[in-house]
């Protein structure tokens, strides 16, 4: 929740930061890009470290480091310090995110995961919605540095809760050496990919910097796959890589989060540059969409238990595509926004519940890291797709019309998610209404490798 809040509260603080520090537009953009790069690059590595050394320990390290980096940004004398500390903040955020999902997997059996996953989704939605409003109030009355000061007490409260709630740690997945080669290749590949996507609004899809970045990321990805296949201690165990529910859930999360983020980017451009609304009024216009998403998460959890992950994911993906297409002709607060919020809630709850519930306890961290990577890389791709299709261009005549092809492209991206959604588990015959529907004994990991005895070929 604190990571989601920090990601949205900064949006309205950046203009004030730029004026106060005398920074350029590019430098201010890097205060967001540096965070995005590090958090996306280190998520899987952090999940693997949690599986090896303990998720509670990693969560404490992440939340306290996040607080320290936030305090440093509040005292930063220049924009260079802000960029560097934002990168550090992203690293500690990467430690924190997979640990929270892994702790849920350890605290709840698979047949009870749907409700806590829905609560987590709702909390993230509330934080994302409150961020711009809280940021606007803090910047208006206390200045942009207060946006980072507020993280410190929140982080300390979270750290105290982690210490107070004791979750049994699984037996560690072995004492073998960390997969340093795989980790380095993964970090480099994700960083190159996200950096290339972040440059699309400025350079376009066919510019040399974009093509070089995407090509470099693809090359590093090929090297990573070959390294993983040959390594005795792979970063992503074969038991995880071969899990169809896990891979399908991550593909679905990537397309859905990309489509939503691109749609919000395009809608924000429309509301501010075309309709002339301010940042605070724009945030208010976004609230109905978020409210439906927050309220829909518990309902999606109930529906998943009753009808199965596959049906709810297919319905949610279809609603996301229809909602984005509806924004072409409707106001953001109209039916299109409500449909989009409801669909995204259904996708998030079902895909997250499936990917976490399918994880053998010993690999909950690495699966949580993969899930969070998908939901961090997806928005970068969605925004790049929207910008490449014309959204966010200079305001003026025809500015509003340029949003239509962007929204249609994003609706198509959401529709691509129907394929992975169709691969999620269905409702087993005779499943009780209280079960986490779509997970039989094997899908819950009961026939999967145990935490203390991986059967993926790793030598411990």
């Amino acid at each position: 929740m604190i990571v989601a809040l920090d990601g949205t509260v900064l949006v309205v603080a950046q203009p004030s930061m730029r004026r106060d520090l005398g920074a350029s537009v590019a430098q201010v953009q890097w205060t967001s890009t540096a965070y995005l790069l590090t958090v996306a690059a280190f998520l899987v590595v952090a999940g693997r470290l949690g599986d090896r050394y303990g998720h509670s320990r990693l969560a404490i390290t992440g939340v306290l480091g996040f607080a320290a980096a936030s305090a440093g940004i509040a005292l930063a004398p220049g924009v260079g310090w802000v960029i560097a500390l934002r990168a550090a903040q992203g690293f500690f955020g990467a430690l924190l995110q997979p640990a929270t999902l892994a702790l849920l997997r350890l605290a709840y059996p698979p047949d009870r995961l749907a409700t806590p996953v829905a609560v987590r989704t709702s909390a993230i939605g509330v934080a994302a919605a409150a961020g711009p409003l809280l940021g606007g109030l803090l910047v208006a009355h206390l200045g942009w540095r207060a946006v980072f000061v507020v993280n410190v007490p929140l982080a300390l409260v979270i750290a105290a809760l982690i210490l107070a709630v004791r979750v049994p740690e699984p037996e560690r997945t072995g004492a073998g050496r960390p997969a340093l080669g795989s980790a380095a290749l993964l970090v480099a590949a994700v960083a190159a990919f996200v950096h290339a996507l972040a440059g699309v609004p400025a350079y376009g899809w066919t510019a040399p910097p974009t093509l070089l970045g995407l090509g470099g990321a693809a090359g590093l990805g090929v090297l990573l796959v070959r390294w993983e296949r040959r390594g005795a201690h792979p970063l992503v165990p074969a038991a995880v890589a071969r899990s169809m529910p896990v891979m399908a859930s991550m593909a679905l999360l990537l397309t859905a989060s990309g489509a939503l983020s691109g749609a919000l980017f395009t809608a924000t451009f429309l509301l501010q540059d075309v309709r002339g609304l301010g940042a605070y009024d724009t945030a208010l216009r976004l609230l109905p969409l978020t409210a439906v998403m927050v309220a829909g998460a518990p309902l999606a959890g109930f529906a998943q238990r009753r009808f199965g992950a596959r049906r709810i994911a297919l319905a949610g993906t279809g609603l996301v595509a229809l909602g984005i297409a509806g924004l072409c002709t409707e106001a953001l607060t109209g039916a299109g926004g409500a449909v989009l919020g409801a669909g995204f809630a259904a996708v998030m709850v079902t895909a997250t519940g499936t990917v976490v519930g399918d994880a053998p306890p010993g690999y909950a961290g690495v699966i949580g890291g993969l899930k969070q990577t998908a939901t961090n890389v997806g928005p970068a791709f969605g925004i790049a797709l929207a910008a490449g299709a014309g959204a966010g261009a200079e305001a003026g005549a025809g500015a509003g019309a340029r949003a239509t092809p962007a929204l249609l492209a994003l609706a198509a991206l959401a529709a691509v998610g129907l394929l992975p959604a169709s691969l999620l588990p269905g409702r087993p015959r005779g499943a009780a209404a209280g079960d986490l529907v779509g997970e039989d004994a094997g899908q819950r990991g009961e026939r999967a490798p145990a935490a203390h005895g991986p059967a993926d070929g790793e030598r411990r």
Side-chain angles (χ1 to χ4, degrees):
M1 184 173 180
I2 189 174
V3 176
L5 180 66
D6 184 78
T8 55
V9 75
L10 180 63
V11 174
V12 295
Q14 286 179 328
S16 177
M17 179 194 300
R18 179 189 175 192
R19 292 190 297 269
D20 183 43
L21 299 178
S24 66
V25 174
Q27 287 174 321
V28 171
Q29 288 176 338
W30 265 102
T31 63
S32 294
T33 303
Y35 177 86
L36 178 62
L37 282 173
T38 51
V39 75
F42 285 99
L43 281 166
V44 177
V45 178
R48 193 63 159 138
L49 290 174
D51 288 334
R52 188 177 299 275
Y53 300 113
H55 299 295
S56 295
R57 183 181 302 176
L58 212 68
I60 288 290
T61 302
V63 74
L64 293 180
F66 196 90
S70 298
I73 295 172
L75 301 173
V79 69
W81 282 96
V82 174
I83 293 171
L85 288 168
R86 281 286 285 171
Q89 200 178 39
F91 172 77
F92 288 112
L95 297 183
L96 182 61
Q97 292 184 64
T100 60
L101 282 173
L103 290 173
L104 282 181
R105 175 65 180 86
L106 297 173
Y108 294 91
D111 59 341
R112 294 173 54 199
L113 264 176
T115 298
V117 166
V119 171
R120 180 182 184 271
T121 301
S122 295
I124 292 174
V126 170
L133 299 177
L134 178 62
L137 292 173
L138 290 174
V139 172
H141 297 285
L142 299 174
W144 67 269
R145 296 179 188 271
V147 167
F148 296 97
V149 173
V150 75
N151 286 334
V152 178
L154 287 175
L156 294 178
V157 170
I158 293 171
L161 291 174
I162 294 173
L163 291 173
V165 180
R166 306 301 298 177
V167 176
E169 294 282 357
E171 187 173 341
R172 294 169 190 172
T173 55
R177 65 182 182 277
L180 297 179
S182 295
L185 287 171
L186 177 64
V187 168
V190 174
F193 185 61
V194 174
H195 185 271
L197 293 177
V200 169
Y203 302 115
W205 284 101
T206 58
T210 303
L211 296 178
L212 286 173
L214 296 177
L220 289 168
V222 172
L223 288 176
L224 173 62
V225 171
R226 296 184 64 182
W227 189 287
E228 285 278 275
R229 287 178 175 176
R230 296 178 179 179
H233 306 284
L235 184 66
V236 179
V240 174
R242 294 170 184 164
S243 171
M244 181 60 71
V246 170
M247 295 297 110
S249 295
M250 288 191 298
L252 177 58
L253 288 167
L254 190 148
T255 56
S257 62
L260 175 69
S261 296
L264 291 178
F265 172 84
T266 305
T268 301
F269 154 73
L270 280 172
L271 292 173
Q272 293 193 20
D273 289 352
V274 176
R275 299 185 185 178
L277 299 180
Y280 188 78
D281 290 333
T282 299
L284 290 176
R285 295 290 292 271
L286 292 171
L287 279 180
L289 181 151
T290 310
V292 172
M293 186 164 55
V294 171
L299 296 177
F302 172 79
Q304 179 184 354
R305 292 191 298 271
R306 185 173 182 86
F307 300 108
R310 183 187 304 148
R311 292 181 181 179
I312 303 306
L314 285 170
T317 302
L319 290 176
V320 170
L322 289 174
I324 294 175
L327 296 179
C328 295
T329 56
E330 298 180 22
L332 189 62
T333 52
V339 170
L340 175 57
F344 189 73
V347 169
M348 279 293 293
V349 170
T350 53
T352 302
T354 299
V355 74
V356 177
D358 193 72
Y363 297 138
V366 70
I367 288 183
L370 288 169
K371 180 264 176 187
Q372 292 299 134
T373 300
T375 54
N376 277 271
V377 173
F381 181 73
I383 291 172
L385 181 62
E394 292 294 330
R402 287 195 294 268
T404 298
L407 290 171
L408 292 178
L410 292 164
L413 174 63
V416 170
L418 291 170
L419 176 58
S422 68
L423 300 176
L424 295 187
R427 186 175 190 268
R429 293 180 181 178
D435 291 342
L436 181 59
V437 182
E439 293 183 337
D440 57 22
Q443 291 167 329
R444 290 195 301 264
E446 294 176 15
R447 293 195 301 266
H452 58 280
D456 58 1
E458 294 183 32
R459 295 195 302 269
R460 300 295 176 187

